[in-house]
Amino acid sequence: MNPQRESRQLNGTGREPELRRPQNSSAITLREVLGRFPGWRIIDVTGGWVAFRVPLVSGDSGLSNVRCGATLAELAGNLQAESRLDKPRSPVTSN
């Protein structure tokens, strides 16, 4: 059984549930991932986590609109890798 999923609590506001960090644990929370990676919607699916970029980027941008991870920590790592690709590039100038 996944301890992250066991500690899920509904917040009573109609929003998606939030993961609570177990005491004495270094596990990352859903709130932390959402805070570190704005512009992504994250959902818990059977067998892992899926993040969807909002708004979507064009197919020729070289960026992903969907990233996945078996755990929330793995998803955070994948989103971190994606954010390195998403850094603004220096404009190309011609002389």
Side-chain angles (χ1 to χ4, degrees):
M1 216 182 285
N2 185 335
Q4 288 180 326
R5 294 202 176 118
E6 286 178 359
S7 62
R8 187 177 299 246
Q9 302 289 320
L10 291 176
N11 61 15
T13 63
R15 295 183 190 159
E16 291 184 28
E18 172 186 340
L19 292 180
R20 298 187 132 208
R21 180 177 295 177
Q23 206 169 18
N24 300 323
S25 171
S26 61
I28 192 166
T29 66
L30 181 56
R31 178 176 281 174
E32 288 169 325
V33 176
L34 289 168
R36 284 177 48 197
F37 304 103
W40 293 86
R41 294 243 172 137
I42 298 173
I43 60 170
D44 177 3
V45 296
T46 302
W49 295 87
V50 177
F52 298 92
R53 190 185 294 266
V54 180
L56 299 176
V57 294
S58 72
D60 62 353
S61 69
L63 300 173
S64 300
N65 282 311
V66 178
R67 294 302 298 244
C68 304
T71 66
L72 200 51
E74 181 182 5
L75 176 62
N78 293 340
L79 291 173
Q80 180 64 41
E82 183 73 18
S83 70
R84 286 191 290 270
L85 297 172
D86 198 14
K87 295 289 181 206
R89 293 161 181 85
S90 301
V92 177
T93 57
S94 57
N95 292 329

